[in-house]
Amino acid sequence: MANLIRGLSENGGVVFCGVDSTDIVRKAEKLHTTSATCSAALGRLLTGATLMGSMLKDDRDRITLRVAGGGPAGVLIACTDGTGNVKGCIDNPLVELPAKANGHLDVGTAVGKDGVLTVIRDNRLQKEPTVGQVPLVSGEIAEDLTSYYAYSEQVPTVMALGVLVDKDLSILCAGGFMVQLLPGATDAEIDQLERNINAMPSVTELLHAGKTPEDMMQMALAGFAPNVLDERTVQYQCDCSAERTEEMLLSLGRAELARMRDEDPTCEVVCHFCHSKYQYDLNALLAEYDAQAAEAAQSKNNHTEEAIRTPNAGYPVLGGVFMKKSVCRTLPARKNAQKRQQM
């Protein structure tokens, strides 16, 4: 069943994206054994990343969110692609703090606000990723992501995120929505949108009452006659594998692999996102590294020899140097002239 929708107002001026991320946050809580506060913090970031990823133009594009607020929870990371699938991790998943006066989990204190939100956009059509960075506003995640859109991308955005944790630390529900105004929105439309969103209950209240992302869209875009553009299923999904992990180890270089082998010939790599474990024989990896290096060197030599044997534009080769035909044709004539002078 689809758990994410994208919609558009009838006049095309307002974009909506909403998701029920309950299953995503439940899997994250199970993988990282998070406390209630950390479940809320990581769950909000995963939900926000899912919304941002689903707005990408290409499924192979990627976004990485990194929140470093200086709080006891440490650094939080969430990665997503153009399909909206997401993965994430948190430095200190067991941090727990007293609830705020209103009874809500104190996510802002756990995350901290003395730091920055870093957004890395990896577009396959660009050689280098685009990196944006903004100071944290509150550490509550939704306000920080809204601030990023306002200051870094200059796109008027409203983002609402929520995670409801039960007394036994299980996840009752989680989700969120994002509304963006496209250029040309009138003041009347902006005022109407603000009234709609201010009148809405919280995301967790809506989801706990059985509402869907489409219900959220109808409430947020009331008066705009919104239509659903598409819907999809998004999930917590880690793309690590034994092959990718081996490539990562080989990229360390021979000296580092040898140093690691001297300490312990067996290496174990644990994925931070899903805790999968991969074990490698470093002697075998060194042999593989040497084989790849030898193959690369041989390929380079073959390419160089082929370039020498194949002259450009019909120029003959003399001692490995390309010479123009006009120069070569004058050489015999000059030798004959020299012989006649000697006679």
Side-chain angles (χ1 to χ4, degrees), residues 99-162:
K100 295 189 288 188
N102 59 8
H104 293 171
L105 295 170
D106 196 356
V107 171
T109 301
V111 172
K113 59 180 181 180
D114 185 19
V116 295
L117 163 66
T118 303
V119 180
I120 305 171
R121 293 179 173 271
D122 192 355
N123 187 323
R124 69 183 187 88
L125 299 179
Q126 297 177 342
K127 293 183 178 180
E128 298 293 336
T130 302
V131 180
Q133 196 172 76
V134 294
L136 292 174
V137 176
S138 66
E140 296 283 346
I141 307 301
E143 294 176 7
D144 304 304
L145 292 174
T146 300
S147 173
Y148 162 76
Y149 275 108
Y151 291 104
S152 186
E153 300 200 4
Q154 291 80 48
V155 179
T157 302
V158 175
M159 187 174 288
L161 308 170

Side-chain angles (χ1 to χ4, degrees), residues 35-273:
S35 67
T37 304
C38 289
S39 290
L42 182 59
R44 292 179 189 179
L45 189 65
L46 290 170
T47 303
T50 295
L51 293 171
M52 295 174 70
S54 66
M55 302 296 281
L56 293 172
K57 295 180 180 180
D58 193 298
D59 289 351
R60 290 167 289 182
D61 293 345
R62 296 178 180 274
I63 292 178
T64 299
L65 305 179
R66 184 179 188 273
V67 178
V75 176
L76 289 76
I77 295 175
C79 306
T80 185
D81 56 22
T83 66
N85 293 328
V86 68
K87 61 182 180 181
C89 63
I90 181 172
D91 279 352
N92 304 311
L94 300 179
V95 168
E96 190 58 281
L97 298 173
K100 295 189 288 188
N102 59 8
H104 293 171
L105 295 170
D106 196 356
V107 171
T109 301
V111 172
K113 59 180 181 180
D114 185 19
V116 295
L117 163 66
T118 303
V119 180
I120 305 171
R121 293 179 173 271
D122 192 355
N123 187 323
R124 69 183 187 88
L125 299 179
Q126 297 177 342
K127 293 183 178 180
E128 298 293 336
T130 302
V131 180
Q133 196 172 76
V134 294
L136 292 174
V137 176
S138 66
E140 296 283 346
I141 307 301
E143 294 176 7
D144 304 304
L145 292 174
T146 300
S147 173
Y148 162 76
Y149 275 108
Y151 291 104
S152 186
E153 300 200 4
Q154 291 80 48
V155 179
T157 302
V158 175
M159 187 174 288
L161 308 170
V163 177
L164 185 60
V165 184
D166 205 351
K167 293 180 179 179
D168 62 358
L169 302 185
S170 63
I171 308 301
L172 288 175
C173 61
F177 65 84
M178 179 170 66
V179 178
Q180 291 186 323
L181 286 170
L182 298 181
T186 65
D187 290 340
E189 290 174 333
I190 295 173
D191 292 341
Q192 177 66 48
L193 193 60
E194 288 179 346
R195 288 194 296 269
N196 292 347
I197 293 174
N198 289 332
M200 292 177 64
S202 69
V203 169
T204 51
E205 287 181 82
L206 291 170
L207 292 172
H208 198 48
K211 302 298 183 181
T212 66
E214 186 170 356
D215 294 327
M216 296 182 200
M217 181 183 72
Q218 295 298 337
M219 297 176 70
L221 272 61
F224 291 88
N227 297 305
V228 175
L229 291 177
D230 59 21
E231 54 185 13
R232 67 183 72 172
T233 300
V234 292
Q235 59 189 338
Y236 189 106
Q237 180 175 293
C238 185
D239 53 356
C240 71
S241 66
E243 292 75 16
R244 291 188 63 185
T245 307
E246 180 176 324
E247 291 177 2
M248 179 273 294
L249 289 171
L250 291 172
S251 70
L252 296 176
R254 196 183 196 290
E256 181 63 17
L257 288 174
R259 186 192 66 77
M260 294 168 59
R261 187 270 316 274
D262 294 340
E263 293 180 359
D264 188 344
T266 302
C267 172
E268 182 179 83
V269 179
V270 181
C271 176
H272 282 219
F273 298 105

